[in-house]
Amino acid sequence: MKDLLPAGVKLQGEGGIAFVIAGPSGAGKSSVISALLSRDQRLRFSVSATTRPPRPTEVHGRDYYFVSEEEFDRLIAQGALLEWTVYQGHRYGTPRAEVVERLKSGLDVVLKVEVNGARAIRQANLGFPVVLIFLVPPSWEELAKRVRGRGTETAEAVAERLHIAREELKCIPEFDYLVVNDQLERAVARVEAIIQAERMRIVRCG
Ligand code: 5GP
């Protein structure tokens, strides 16, 4: 196909693309992302570092790097984090080297962050395209149900997640795409459509 293109033009998918998936608690980011990763060999998940303790099903190195406060301080001091934030009293950050190396090798990276992280990744001037996708449940009622249904948190933590969710929804205008997760399969297909379209985007270079 490349021999068909005129000079000074390429497809965005020839290099790595960062797909940032944000959205309120209960949107289903983790489920959507694991389905995407199982189907698309070019996608890699950016495993974040966090000081939050692991939930029962979470695995160190797969879901997060679970680190101590001291270790997180070290990561910040070393400049090892592309961005970091505090969420419900715990720190979360994106390891820079993993993301950049994968993008450089032509792989696409999926990042699961909250809205401040999404903003910071766009502003970080990675030298690679950054696509911001906001995932939402079909309604506020459904969002609240999903947050309560997780069952791993205290009533205060649930109330705080709902408050944060309200604030996060206000950031939708900063995003490129809005995907409704009414049903997992459909939501995954919508995000896949975005990924395919972004790879086919024509880029004028030079
Ligand atoms: P949870 O504790 O539910 O796994 O994550 C809480 C929030 O932190 C979610 O919105 C999640 O997307 C976000 N998050 C996870 N990792 C990172 C990160 O590296 N950076 C930022 N900014 N947010 C993150």
Side-chain angles (χ1 to χ4, degrees), residues 116-205:
N116 296 309
R119 195 179 289 136
I121 292 163
R122 169 151 283 168
Q123 286 167 359
N125 291 323
L126 275 180
F128 293 89
V130 174
V131 179
L132 301 186
I133 302 170
F134 199 96
L135 190 68
V136 283
S139 65
W140 178 259
E141 193 187 343
E142 178 64 22
L143 183 152
K145 200 169 99 188
R146 291 185 195 173
V147 170
R148 290 191 192 103
R150 191 172 266 169
T152 53
E153 280 151 3
T154 62
E156 294 78 54
V158 167
E160 197 187 343
R161 274 185 190 260
L162 290 177
H163 171 73
I164 295 170
R166 273 276 183 229
E167 292 302 308
E168 290 191 315
L169 292 169
K170 293 180 186 164
C171 302
I172 288 174
E174 296 175 49
F175 281 71
D176 301 311
Y177 295 96
L178 181 72
V179 171
V180 177
N181 183 9
D182 44 0
Q183 197 260 329
L184 182 63
E185 269 308 306
R186 280 204 287 260
V188 173
R190 288 172 186 137
V191 179
E192 281 178 324
I194 294 166
I195 292 172
Q196 296 306 336
E198 288 292 337
R199 286 174 178 162
M200 291 184 282
R201 190 183 279 280
I202 295 165
V203 182
R204 286 129 199 113
C205 46

XYZ file of all heavy atoms in Angstrom, residues 116-205:
719
model
N -7.272 14.006 35.019
C -6.060 14.840 35.104
C -4.903 14.165 34.389
O -4.084 14.823 33.744
C -5.666 15.091 36.560
C -6.720 15.884 37.280
O -7.152 16.923 36.805
N -7.164 15.379 38.414
N -4.851 12.843 34.516
C -3.813 12.079 33.832
C -3.962 12.182 32.315
O -2.972 12.338 31.599
N -5.190 12.098 31.855
C -5.444 12.198 30.409
C -4.941 13.542 29.878
O -4.233 13.623 28.869
C -6.936 12.034 30.132
N -5.278 14.579 30.607
C -4.862 15.936 30.234
C -3.328 16.033 30.217
O -2.726 16.549 29.282
C -5.442 16.901 31.263
C -5.414 18.331 30.873
C -6.047 19.176 31.961
N -7.483 19.006 32.060
C -8.149 18.861 33.218
N -7.516 18.836 34.371
N -9.462 18.752 33.220
N -2.713 15.497 31.263
C -1.253 15.582 31.376
C -0.557 14.806 30.252
O 0.469 15.246 29.734
C -0.811 15.051 32.739
N -1.104 13.670 29.877
C -0.477 12.870 28.819
C -0.551 13.615 27.491
O 0.391 13.641 26.718
C -1.129 11.467 28.736
C -0.775 10.665 29.995
C -0.670 10.709 27.485
C -1.656 9.465 30.236
N -1.688 14.265 27.249
C -1.795 15.063 26.021
C -0.775 16.208 26.034
O -0.153 16.517 25.024
C -3.208 15.613 25.861
C -3.297 16.641 24.769
C -4.629 16.718 24.094
N -4.845 15.631 23.146
C -6.014 15.347 22.604
N -7.069 16.056 22.928
N -6.147 14.370 21.736
N -0.592 16.829 27.188
C 0.297 17.997 27.278
C 1.772 17.607 27.369
O 2.642 18.466 27.306
C -0.082 18.852 28.488
C -1.369 19.633 28.241
C -1.949 20.236 29.520
O -1.401 20.047 30.603
N -3.056 20.948 29.382
N 2.060 16.316 27.523
C 3.441 15.882 27.754
C 4.305 15.932 26.500
O 5.513 15.712 26.577
C 3.457 14.472 28.341
N 3.707 16.224 25.353
C 4.449 16.254 24.091
C 5.317 15.013 23.908
O 6.531 15.088 23.766
C 5.319 17.519 23.984
C 4.458 18.746 23.829
O 3.418 18.701 23.152
N 4.839 19.828 24.476
N 4.666 13.888 23.902
C 5.335 12.595 23.783
C 6.061 12.417 22.452
O 6.937 11.585 22.321
C 4.277 11.486 23.876
C 3.850 11.012 25.245
C 2.812 9.923 25.108
C 5.060 10.497 26.003
N 5.628 13.177 21.454
C 6.172 12.971 20.107
C 5.417 11.879 19.370
O 5.838 11.441 18.289
N 4.322 11.427 19.944
C 3.457 10.426 19.316
C 2.013 10.905 19.445
O 1.698 11.633 20.383
C 3.605 9.069 20.021
C 4.961 8.462 19.831
C 5.986 8.749 20.711
C 5.209 7.640 18.750
C 7.254 8.218 20.522
C 6.467 7.098 18.551
C 7.493 7.383 19.436
N 1.155 10.479 18.524
C -0.237 10.913 18.645
C -0.879 10.378 19.925
O -0.614 9.242 20.327
C -0.934 10.303 17.416
C 0.110 9.650 16.605
C 1.390 9.629 17.348
N -1.704 11.214 20.531
C -2.423 10.845 21.751
C -3.921 10.990 21.473
O -4.375 12.047 21.066
C -2.021 11.761 22.932
C -2.879 11.475 24.160
C -0.543 11.596 23.274
N -4.665 9.924 21.670
C -6.107 9.934 21.418
C -6.818 9.764 22.755
O -6.558 8.805 23.486
C -6.501 8.781 20.452
C -8.011 8.779 20.212
C -5.740 8.899 19.135
N -7.675 10.715 23.089
C -8.348 10.693 24.391
C -9.777 10.163 24.250
O -10.601 10.759 23.551
C -8.394 12.100 25.004
C -7.062 12.814 25.249
C -7.303 14.125 26.002
C -6.085 11.947 26.021
N -10.039 9.061 24.907
C -11.358 8.409 24.828
C -12.002 8.447 26.209
O -11.393 8.028 27.205
C -11.214 6.946 24.364
C -10.524 6.896 22.998
C -12.585 6.254 24.319
C -10.119 5.483 22.556
N -13.222 8.953 26.259
C -13.943 9.024 27.536
C -15.032 7.965 27.525
O -15.873 7.936 26.633
C -14.554 10.423 27.703
C -14.928 10.764 29.119
C -14.060 11.485 29.913
C -16.151 10.363 29.653
C -14.390 11.810 31.231
C -16.489 10.682 30.967
C -15.606 11.405 31.752
N -14.992 7.084 28.515
C -15.954 5.980 28.600
C -16.984 6.290 29.685
O -16.608 6.678 30.799
C -15.182 4.701 28.936
C -15.922 3.374 28.858
C -16.294 3.027 27.419
C -15.069 2.258 29.456
N -18.260 6.135 29.354
C -19.316 6.387 30.356
C -20.309 5.233 30.414
O -20.560 4.579 29.406
C -20.138 7.672 30.045
C -19.384 8.924 30.409
C -20.614 7.711 28.602
N -20.902 5.020 31.575
C -22.050 4.104 31.634
C -23.234 4.781 30.938
O -23.176 5.988 30.682
C -22.314 3.946 33.136
C -21.235 4.693 33.830
C -20.621 5.624 32.872
N -24.314 4.051 30.663
C -25.415 4.657 29.902
C -26.179 5.741 30.653
O -26.875 6.544 30.032
C -26.327 3.473 29.573
C -25.927 2.378 30.489
C -24.501 2.609 30.848
N -26.081 5.784 31.983
C -26.821 6.807 32.741
C -26.162 6.995 34.102
O -25.355 6.168 34.539
C -28.278 6.360 32.964
O -28.289 5.207 33.788
N -26.564 8.071 34.763
C -26.048 8.322 36.118
C -26.511 7.213 37.068
O -25.748 6.734 37.914
C -26.501 9.702 36.619
C -26.026 9.928 38.019
C -26.757 9.809 39.164
C -24.686 10.222 38.431
N -25.955 10.029 40.262
C -24.684 10.290 39.839
C -23.484 10.457 37.733
C -23.536 10.569 40.569
C -22.330 10.739 38.474
C -22.375 10.787 39.869
N -27.755 6.795 36.890
C -28.313 5.747 37.750
C -27.487 4.461 37.646
O -27.159 3.825 38.646
C -29.752 5.495 37.299
C -30.561 4.674 38.259
C -31.930 4.323 37.677
O -32.364 4.964 36.690
O -32.541 3.375 38.197
N -27.136 4.108 36.422
C -26.344 2.896 36.185
C -24.935 3.061 36.770
O -24.376 2.125 37.350
C -26.299 2.610 34.678
C -25.476 1.420 34.272
C -26.000 0.072 34.809
O -27.195 -0.016 35.151
O -25.182 -0.855 34.896
N -24.387 4.262 36.623
C -23.054 4.528 37.187
C -23.066 4.294 38.702
O -22.220 3.585 39.245
C -22.653 5.977 36.860
C -21.267 6.455 37.300
C -20.775 7.560 36.354
C -21.230 6.989 38.718
N -24.064 4.868 39.368
C -24.157 4.745 40.829
C -24.320 3.276 41.228
O -23.706 2.817 42.200
C -25.321 5.586 41.342
N -25.115 2.561 40.459
C -25.343 1.144 40.759
C -24.032 0.359 40.656
O -23.705 -0.456 41.510
C -26.366 0.592 39.754
C -27.049 -0.665 40.204
C -28.226 -0.995 39.306
C -27.809 -2.060 38.296
N -28.831 -2.297 37.278
N -23.266 0.646 39.611
C -22.005 -0.086 39.403
C -20.985 0.243 40.496
O -20.266 -0.626 40.959
C -21.412 0.237 38.025
C -22.233 -0.331 36.869
C -21.527 -0.082 35.556
N -22.411 -0.283 34.420
C -22.074 -0.002 33.157
N -20.887 0.484 32.881
N -22.931 -0.202 32.177
N -20.943 1.504 40.897
C -19.975 1.899 41.935
C -20.326 1.214 43.259
O -19.458 0.692 43.948
C -19.935 3.437 42.099
C -19.130 3.837 43.327
C -19.348 4.088 40.855
N -21.625 1.176 43.581
C -22.044 0.509 44.833
C -21.841 -0.994 44.745
O -21.453 -1.634 45.717
C -23.524 0.796 45.115
C -23.763 2.228 45.503
C -25.169 2.451 46.042
N -25.420 3.873 46.117
C -26.158 4.547 45.235
N -26.766 3.928 44.259
N -26.307 5.855 45.347
N -22.064 -1.526 43.572
C -22.027 -2.974 43.372
C -20.652 -3.583 43.493
O -20.528 -4.787 43.653
N -19.625 -2.753 43.398
C -18.265 -3.284 43.468
C -18.032 -3.977 44.812
O -17.308 -4.955 44.902
C -17.259 -2.145 43.247
C -15.867 -2.614 43.041
C -14.955 -1.473 42.647
N -14.801 -1.334 41.211
C -14.230 -0.284 40.621
N -13.793 0.706 41.340
N -14.125 -0.233 39.325
N -18.656 -3.436 45.860
C -18.703 -4.114 47.156
C -17.387 -4.223 47.897
O -17.320 -4.860 48.932
N -16.352 -3.590 47.399
C -15.057 -3.698 48.074
C -14.761 -2.447 48.901
O -13.698 -2.331 49.481
C -13.909 -3.894 47.059
O -13.986 -2.852 46.087
C -13.990 -5.241 46.385
N -15.694 -1.493 48.911
C -15.384 -0.222 49.533
C -16.408 0.210 50.571
O -17.553 -0.202 50.532
C -15.269 0.856 48.443
C -13.917 0.801 47.768
C -13.970 1.280 46.340
O -15.038 1.707 45.907
O -12.928 1.223 45.688
N -15.970 1.098 51.460
C -16.854 1.630 52.503
C -17.842 2.612 51.878
O -17.646 3.075 50.749
C -16.029 2.401 53.543
O -15.411 3.504 52.878
C -14.962 1.530 54.174
N -18.905 2.941 52.649
C -19.920 3.883 52.163
C -19.292 5.236 51.837
O -19.655 5.879 50.848
C -21.012 4.045 53.211
N -18.309 5.655 52.651
C -17.659 6.963 52.400
C -16.885 6.921 51.080
O -16.912 7.873 50.305
C -16.674 7.330 53.518
C -17.286 7.585 54.880
C -17.641 6.308 55.608
O -16.751 5.456 55.766
O -18.817 6.146 55.993
N -16.197 5.811 50.863
C -15.410 5.698 49.631
C -16.328 5.709 48.409
O -16.025 6.344 47.396
C -14.577 4.417 49.658
N -17.482 5.051 48.524
C -18.449 5.033 47.416
C -18.953 6.453 47.161
O -18.991 6.926 46.016
C -19.629 4.074 47.724
C -20.775 4.291 46.750
C -19.156 2.623 47.680
N -19.310 7.165 48.255
C -19.812 8.540 48.114
C -18.757 9.421 47.459
O -19.064 10.244 46.589
C -20.197 9.095 49.479
N -17.510 9.202 47.833
C -16.444 10.026 47.251
C -16.259 9.706 45.774
O -16.073 10.595 44.948
C -15.132 9.847 48.019
C -14.171 10.972 47.688
C -12.785 10.799 48.279
O -12.617 9.997 49.205
O -11.870 11.492 47.774
N -16.332 8.428 45.419
C -16.212 8.051 44.004
C -17.329 8.689 43.175
O -17.109 9.120 42.052
C -16.256 6.530 43.838
C -14.892 5.888 44.008
C -14.910 4.405 43.722
N -13.639 3.824 44.133
C -12.627 3.530 43.300
N -12.743 3.716 42.010
N -11.506 3.034 43.764
N -18.533 8.755 43.757
C -19.652 9.370 43.027
C -19.422 10.870 42.854
O -19.686 11.425 41.778
C -20.974 9.106 43.763
C -21.459 7.655 43.723
C -22.725 7.484 44.547
C -21.710 7.198 42.287
N -18.901 11.504 43.885
C -18.602 12.935 43.795
C -17.525 13.196 42.716
O -17.660 14.084 41.876
C -18.142 13.461 45.152
C -17.625 14.861 45.086
N -18.462 15.946 44.923
C -16.354 15.344 45.108
C -17.723 17.046 44.862
N -16.446 16.715 44.971
N -16.480 12.369 42.766
C -15.409 12.516 41.769
C -15.967 12.287 40.359
O -15.631 13.004 39.418
C -14.239 11.548 42.073
C -13.565 11.908 43.404
C -13.199 11.580 40.944
C -12.558 10.865 43.895
N -16.864 11.299 40.240
C -17.450 10.988 38.927
C -18.164 12.205 38.347
O -18.004 12.547 37.169
C -18.413 9.812 39.047
N -18.935 12.887 39.175
C -19.647 14.107 38.736
C -18.649 15.132 38.175
O -18.882 15.751 37.141
C -20.379 14.753 39.912
C -21.746 14.224 40.157
C -22.791 14.913 39.262
N -24.119 14.418 39.570
C -24.996 13.997 38.670
N -24.704 14.028 37.385
N -26.177 13.566 39.028
N -17.553 15.306 38.906
C -16.532 16.273 38.486
C -15.877 15.823 37.185
O -15.612 16.632 36.289
C -15.458 16.434 39.581
C -15.961 17.094 40.847
C -16.549 18.480 40.580
O -15.863 19.300 39.945
O -17.704 18.719 40.993
N -15.601 14.517 37.075
C -14.925 13.997 35.881
C -15.771 14.199 34.627
O -15.238 14.515 33.564
C -14.582 12.518 36.071
C -13.476 12.330 37.096
C -12.901 10.921 37.132
O -13.695 9.967 37.118
O -11.672 10.785 37.176
N -17.098 14.039 34.762
C -17.982 14.192 33.600
C -17.879 15.601 33.006
O -18.070 15.789 31.803
C -19.434 13.888 33.985
C -19.731 12.424 34.345
C -21.119 12.296 34.956
C -19.622 11.520 33.113
N -17.516 16.568 33.842
C -17.391 17.958 33.357
C -16.225 18.110 32.382
O -16.126 19.110 31.679
C -17.190 18.911 34.540
C -18.407 19.006 35.434
C -18.144 19.976 36.588
C -19.321 19.965 37.565
N -18.962 20.575 38.850
N -15.321 17.131 32.360
C -14.132 17.223 31.493
C -14.354 16.622 30.107
O -13.433 16.621 29.281
C -12.949 16.519 32.156
S -12.551 17.207 33.758
N -15.548 16.112 29.841
C -15.824 15.478 28.543
C -15.425 16.373 27.351
O -14.873 15.864 26.377
C -17.307 15.019 28.459
C -17.502 13.806 29.372
C -17.728 14.688 27.029
C -18.945 13.326 29.504
N -15.650 17.704 27.414
C -15.285 18.528 26.250
C -13.807 18.465 25.858
O -13.454 18.791 24.727
C -15.665 19.952 26.691
C -16.701 19.764 27.743
C -16.359 18.485 28.443
N -12.940 18.067 26.781
C -11.505 17.999 26.465
C -11.129 16.729 25.709
O -9.993 16.573 25.267
C -10.680 18.040 27.751
C -10.818 19.341 28.508
C -10.067 19.279 29.830
O -8.895 18.875 29.836
O -10.677 19.625 30.858
N -12.064 15.802 25.578
C -11.757 14.500 24.986
C -12.082 14.464 23.492
O -12.819 15.298 22.983
C -12.511 13.400 25.741
C -11.827 13.051 27.044
C -11.852 13.935 28.113
C -11.122 11.877 27.174
C -11.191 13.634 29.296
C -10.455 11.564 28.344
C -10.487 12.453 29.411
N -11.501 13.472 22.798
C -11.746 13.331 21.362
C -12.979 12.486 21.072
O -13.656 12.692 20.074
C -10.529 12.669 20.693
C -9.261 13.473 20.910
O -9.299 14.699 20.675
O -8.237 12.896 21.332
N -13.214 11.479 21.920
C -14.314 10.545 21.671
C -15.054 10.243 22.968
O -14.441 10.157 24.031
C -13.785 9.206 21.137
C -13.121 9.297 19.785
C -11.739 9.426 19.671
C -13.889 9.248 18.613
C -11.127 9.505 18.433
C -13.276 9.321 17.371
C -11.904 9.444 17.284
O -11.298 9.521 16.059
N -16.363 10.028 22.827
C -17.185 9.574 23.953
C -17.767 8.206 23.594
O -18.401 8.054 22.544
C -18.326 10.563 24.217
C -19.221 10.181 25.399
C -18.492 10.400 26.715
C -20.509 10.996 25.396
N -17.513 7.237 24.451
C -18.025 5.880 24.203
C -18.942 5.486 25.355
O -18.564 5.570 26.521
C -16.858 4.870 24.092
C -17.381 3.434 24.047
C -16.020 5.167 22.859
N -20.153 5.065 25.013
C -21.107 4.611 26.022
C -20.926 3.115 26.225
O -20.921 2.343 25.266
C -22.560 4.924 25.590
C -23.545 4.381 26.628
C -22.752 6.416 25.404
N -20.749 2.732 27.477
C -20.637 1.305 27.810
C -21.975 0.826 28.367
O -22.164 0.708 29.565
C -19.507 1.072 28.806
C -19.329 -0.405 29.117
O -19.932 -1.267 28.471
N -18.511 -0.697 30.105
N -22.901 0.583 27.442
C -24.211 0.054 27.844
C -24.140 -1.460 27.934
O -24.769 -2.089 28.772
C -25.307 0.491 26.861
C -24.873 0.361 25.411
O -23.728 -0.061 25.144
O -25.679 0.678 24.531
N -23.294 -2.006 27.073
C -23.122 -3.462 27.046
C -21.685 -3.696 26.614
O -21.211 -3.059 25.669
C -24.154 -4.031 26.061
C -24.426 -5.509 26.167
C -23.667 -6.260 25.101
O -23.435 -5.728 24.024
N -23.239 -7.463 25.415
N -20.960 -4.552 27.322
C -19.510 -4.651 27.142
C -19.100 -4.866 25.683
O -18.250 -4.139 25.166
C -18.939 -5.751 28.040
C -17.409 -5.907 27.967
C -16.699 -4.643 28.443
C -16.951 -7.116 28.769
N -19.694 -5.843 25.031
C -19.322 -6.160 23.643
C -19.452 -4.946 22.731
O -18.605 -4.687 21.880
C -20.215 -7.282 23.101
C -19.654 -8.651 23.331
C -18.209 -8.765 22.831
O -17.984 -8.444 21.653
O -17.335 -9.129 23.628
N -20.554 -4.227 22.923
C -20.792 -3.053 22.075
C -19.771 -1.969 22.358
O -19.251 -1.322 21.453
C -22.209 -2.505 22.294
C -23.279 -3.282 21.549
C -24.498 -2.384 21.313
N -25.222 -2.194 22.562
C -26.328 -2.869 22.888
N -26.847 -3.741 22.046
N -26.931 -2.650 24.028
N -19.451 -1.767 23.619
C -18.472 -0.734 23.985
C -17.099 -1.085 23.411
O -16.391 -0.220 22.885
C -18.399 -0.585 25.494
N -16.733 -2.355 23.498
C -15.432 -2.786 22.962
C -15.396 -2.541 21.451
O -14.408 -2.016 20.923
C -15.170 -4.278 23.296
C -13.918 -4.780 22.608
C -15.063 -4.468 24.799
N -16.472 -2.871 20.773
C -16.524 -2.670 19.321
C -16.389 -1.187 18.974
O -15.726 -0.819 17.994
C -17.828 -3.235 18.753
N -16.984 -0.339 19.795
C -16.889 1.115 19.531
C -15.442 1.584 19.696
O -14.934 2.355 18.883
C -17.804 1.878 20.497
C -19.268 1.707 20.164
C -20.182 2.308 21.234
N -21.561 1.980 20.906
C -22.483 1.582 21.776
N -22.187 1.499 23.057
N -23.704 1.293 21.385
N -14.794 1.134 20.744
C -13.396 1.565 20.938
C -12.508 0.983 19.833
O -11.620 1.665 19.322
C -12.871 1.182 22.350
C -11.421 1.615 22.511
C -13.735 1.813 23.431
N -12.786 -0.249 19.429
C -12.008 -0.836 18.326
C -12.171 -0.016 17.049
O -11.210 0.163 16.292
C -12.452 -2.283 18.072
C -11.858 -3.257 19.070
C -12.330 -4.683 18.839
O -13.500 -4.888 18.454
O -11.523 -5.595 19.059
N -13.378 0.481 16.820
C -13.622 1.301 15.626
C -12.777 2.579 15.679
O -12.202 3.008 14.669
C -15.104 1.649 15.522
N -12.671 3.157 16.863
C -11.845 4.370 17.027
C -10.386 4.040 16.745
O -9.691 4.766 16.021
C -11.998 4.934 18.463
C -13.425 5.437 18.679
C -10.973 6.043 18.719
C -13.763 5.706 20.149
N -9.917 2.922 17.300
C -8.512 2.529 17.122
C -8.214 2.317 15.638
O -7.209 2.825 15.110
C -8.196 1.264 17.960
C -8.262 1.612 19.457
C -6.842 0.672 17.582
C -8.150 0.409 20.392
N -9.105 1.607 14.961
C -8.886 1.361 13.525
C -8.883 2.678 12.749
O -8.037 2.890 11.875
C -9.973 0.428 12.957
C -9.969 -0.971 13.540
C -8.618 -1.670 13.436
O -7.800 -1.342 12.585
N -8.375 -2.611 14.320
N -9.835 3.544 13.041
C -9.921 4.820 12.318
C -8.669 5.664 12.544
O -8.123 6.250 11.598
C -11.164 5.588 12.743
N -8.187 5.696 13.776
C -6.994 6.506 14.066
C -5.774 5.951 13.338
O -4.913 6.714 12.900
C -6.749 6.583 15.576
C -7.757 7.457 16.322
C -7.638 8.947 15.986
O -6.565 9.396 15.542
O -8.643 9.666 16.181
N -5.703 4.646 13.198
C -4.573 4.057 12.467
C -4.628 4.405 10.984
O -3.596 4.463 10.318
C -4.568 2.536 12.638
C -4.111 2.103 14.023
C -4.257 0.617 14.200
N -3.792 0.178 15.505
C -4.108 -0.992 16.047
N -4.897 -1.840 15.398
N -3.631 -1.320 17.230
N -5.834 4.617 10.470
C -5.983 4.932 9.037
C -5.948 6.432 8.755
O -6.094 6.854 7.605
C -7.295 4.339 8.510
C -7.260 2.825 8.451
S -8.752 2.137 7.723
C -9.894 2.244 9.083
N -5.765 7.216 9.786
C -5.729 8.675 9.608
C -4.527 9.062 8.734
O -3.428 8.541 8.927
C -5.632 9.343 10.977
C -5.820 10.816 10.969
C -5.630 11.363 12.376
N -6.809 11.204 13.197
C -7.882 12.023 13.154
N -7.885 13.046 12.323
N -8.902 11.808 13.938
N -4.764 9.946 7.774
C -3.691 10.386 6.882
C -2.930 11.533 7.544
O -3.528 12.498 8.018
C -4.262 10.832 5.523
C -4.887 9.615 4.804
C -3.193 11.490 4.655
C -5.776 9.957 3.644
N -1.609 11.386 7.597
C -0.779 12.406 8.247
C 0.124 13.039 7.194
O 0.771 12.328 6.420
C 0.100 11.760 9.346
C 0.930 12.822 10.057
C -0.741 11.006 10.344
N 0.137 14.352 7.147
C 1.053 15.050 6.225
C 2.371 15.260 6.963
O 2.389 15.829 8.040
C 0.450 16.392 5.787
C -0.670 16.216 4.790
C -1.921 16.978 5.219
N -3.090 16.451 4.520
C -4.093 15.794 5.111
N -4.087 15.580 6.408
N -5.105 15.343 4.411
N 3.452 14.753 6.388
C 4.746 14.865 7.055
C 5.752 15.501 6.101
O 5.926 15.030 4.992
C 5.215 13.493 7.532
S 5.044 12.181 6.325
